[in-house]
Amino acid sequence: MTKVKDLTPQSKQVNVLAKVVGFSEEREITSRFGEARKLVEATVGDETGTVLLTLWNEQIGQVQKDETVLIDNGFVSLVRGHIRLNVGKYGTLSKSETPIETVNTSLDVSAVEYEREPRYRSGGYGGREGRS
């Protein structure tokens, strides 16, 4: 089990047990393929800290405030430099019978801003460098 405070931008295939503390407003996002999807960010946490969990479409409403959830085989992504926990298509989100009594709300892992890796590095493939 990965603790919330141990999540990093490189975290892949993580199993996180966390309590749902709250939800953002539902919004609609249009993907780059033109598809409209519903999005809610749930604040979830354990005794080590909190993180934003991204819920899409059918995941919205599967969990309620104060429930403990297990994210199995989840991953971390960066949204504008901030950590988001994701279930993804290979992961699962389920309610857990293991209660989490206290959540450390003083450490918000999603509040930390990370330097984003540049998408394109100069001198790479497809550029005009080095041609004569």
Side-chain angles (χ1 to χ4, degrees), residues 52-72:
L52 289 174
L53 170 67
T54 304
L55 301 173
W56 294 99
N57 295 331
E58 67 283 345
Q59 294 170 337
I60 300 169
Q62 280 187 5
V63 294
Q64 307 301 318
K65 190 175 185 310
D66 297 325
E67 286 182 339
T68 301
V69 295
L70 174 64
I71 295 93
D72 186 44

Side-chain angles (χ1 to χ4, degrees), residues 27-90:
R27 29 188 226 267
E28 198 164 284
I29 305 286
T30 304
S31 76
R32 61 185 138 192
F33 306 111
E35 164 192 14
R37 302 175 73 197
K38 289 182 171 56
L39 164 76
V40 168
E41 290 177 323
T43 302
V44 300
D46 60 17
E47 68 280 0
T48 68
T50 62
V51 67
L52 289 174
L53 170 67
T54 304
L55 301 173
W56 294 99
N57 295 331
E58 67 283 345
Q59 294 170 337
I60 300 169
Q62 280 187 5
V63 294
Q64 307 301 318
K65 190 175 185 310
D66 297 325
E67 286 182 339
T68 301
V69 295
L70 174 64
I71 295 93
D72 186 44
N73 198 22
F75 68 95
V76 168
S77 64
L78 286 181
V79 176
R80 294 184 191 92
H82 297 274
I83 282 183
R84 295 291 187 276
L85 182 59
N86 300 275
V87 177
K89 63 180 172 184
Y90 301 111

